[in-house]
Amino acid sequence: MIYLDYSATTPIDPRVTEKWVSVETSFYANANSDHILGRESKRNNDESIRIIADYFKVLPKEVIIMSSAVEANNTAIKGLAEKFPQKTHIISSALEHASVIGALSFLDQRDYEIETLGLDDEGRYDLDQLNKMIREDTLLVTLIGVDSETGIRQPIEEAGKLCHRHHVFFHSDITQLVGKGHFDLTDIDMASASAHKVYGPKGVAVLIKKASVPLIPLLHGGHSFTPYRSSTPQNGLVAAFAETLRLSSLEFDDRFIKVEKLNVYLRSKLEVFPEIHINSNQHSIPHLFNISIQGSRPEEGLAYFSDHGLCFSSKSACSGQDEFSASVYAITRDKALASSSYRISLSHLTTVEELDSLIKVMKTYCSKLCEK
Ligand SMILES: Cc1ncc(COP(=O)(O)O)c(C=O)c1O
């Protein structure tokens, strides 16, 4: 099988597995225990947290370990709302992950007013509009860093600056950005990311929360790395997360250049197909390549591609059973494109031979569609 669904999840790097197993084996004691083995676990955890903090260029106390980015997004949004109940206006976008939409819908049912920021002609946030939307009672602006389907890199740093000028909190889900692009969290109050999108294990993630941001935790009782998320510290998983970020930083340029070349190759081959429209644009990270195939129904198309040894998606894995892609629609304003879109995600592990197989199957699929 050829895997082209790296934005849904990545295979774990064997070096990360090795780190995970070795730390979990050597430092099995509860880091909260007040004996020598507990203190050794804590020392090891402190080192992992320092590596994670350095990667995001924040302080160790600003790193909150979570079990998933879903949990991080929920904690950021609901935790802030709980802290400031008098402010009930939140701004977000049509590109958000299901966990941001879900947390916002939860608040919507409790009389919050959730407004959606529009996009410009190139699928990026309209910051002039954002400037006008912020009000006295705006609690939070939460905007995803990279659209999970088209890969469009959003101007979150500028959005953060704007929010700070208005003294409004800014959160960004940067799960699809980590390891695939550079970012600067200087003006970002909170950011969510997950290890399994960047060749780390599933079940560990982070909420970066600047020290100046107050938050009520979702979970009560018990103690962990910080007061914001209880449970026994996951020694091995956190060390694995630190290792995956360290490797991602160390190997960033090599991985990026490789993926960029693969993207250019794939684009050059697919753009000549008259049935194919490429939805990813000049702002997209090269790891995400989104296309629409005229006349294609994704549920049938995906079954065909899977039967021919190709694994990729039509939408992001968590976007549910909607008939069309909310992201592609938000960016193109075209229902036909949004209801026939496919997300191919690339990695430094992808080979040209794999892409050649994809192109070959795509050609047969498109000619079959024409015969219909
Ligand atoms: C943008 C984005 N946010 C959040 C998530 C959820 O991540 P996790 O699986 O760690 O909960 C995903 C992955 O599906 C994602 O792509």
Side-chain angles (χ1 to χ4, degrees), residues 124-271:
R124 308 224 306 162
Y125 301 136
D126 181 342
L127 297 182
D128 289 336
Q129 189 191 9
L130 178 60
N131 195 30
K132 290 180 196 135
M133 284 167 85
I134 294 176
R135 319 188 306 215
E136 264 303 289
D137 64 339
T138 304
L139 168 69
L140 170 72
V141 175
T142 175
L143 298 172
I144 199 165
V146 162
D147 173 42
S148 314
E149 295 187 31
T150 61
I152 294 180
R153 166 68 158 96
Q154 297 293 342
I156 49 170
E157 287 84 354
E158 290 86 335
K161 275 196 185 75
L162 201 153
C163 289
H164 279 178
R165 279 207 297 278
H166 289 276
H167 305 290
V168 165
F169 291 114
F170 181 66
H171 164 256
S172 183
D173 178 353
I174 56 168
T175 306
Q176 292 290 350
L177 177 55
V178 168
K180 302 173 194 162
H182 296 298
F183 53 85
D184 177 0
L185 298 185
T186 307
D187 284 296
I188 297 179
D189 297 302
M190 292 188 282
S192 313
S194 188
H196 75 91
K197 304 282 184 179
V198 59
Y199 310 94
K202 295 164 185 63
V204 62
V206 69
L207 174 65
I208 300 296
K209 183 195 78 62
K210 295 292 176 62
S212 58
V213 181
L215 200 71
I216 305 275
L218 290 190
L219 307 183
H220 299 282
H223 188 88
S224 190
F225 295 94
T226 70
Y228 299 102
R229 209 300 194 153
S230 54
S231 292
T232 303
Q234 316 94 300
N235 308 346
L237 276 177
V238 175
F241 194 9
E243 180 67 355
T244 206
L245 292 177
R246 191 185 70 79
L247 291 169
S248 151
S249 180
L250 199 68
E251 298 173 3
F252 182 90
D253 288 344
D254 288 349
R255 293 183 187 184
F256 191 90
I257 290 166
K258 184 156 184 226
V259 174
E260 209 167 34
K261 281 190 186 146
L262 292 166
N263 181 297
V264 169
Y265 181 73
L266 186 59
R267 182 175 278 270
S268 73
K269 297 289 176 185
L270 292 188
E271 69 189 358

Side-chain angles (χ1 to χ4, degrees), residues 7-8 67-71 73 97 99 144 148 173 175-176 194 196-197 205 318:
S7 290
S67 66
S68 67
V70 166
E71 187 189 1
N73 286 335
H97 184 260
S99 53
I144 199 165
S148 314
D173 178 353
T175 306
Q176 292 290 350
S194 188
H196 75 91
K197 304 282 184 179
C318 300

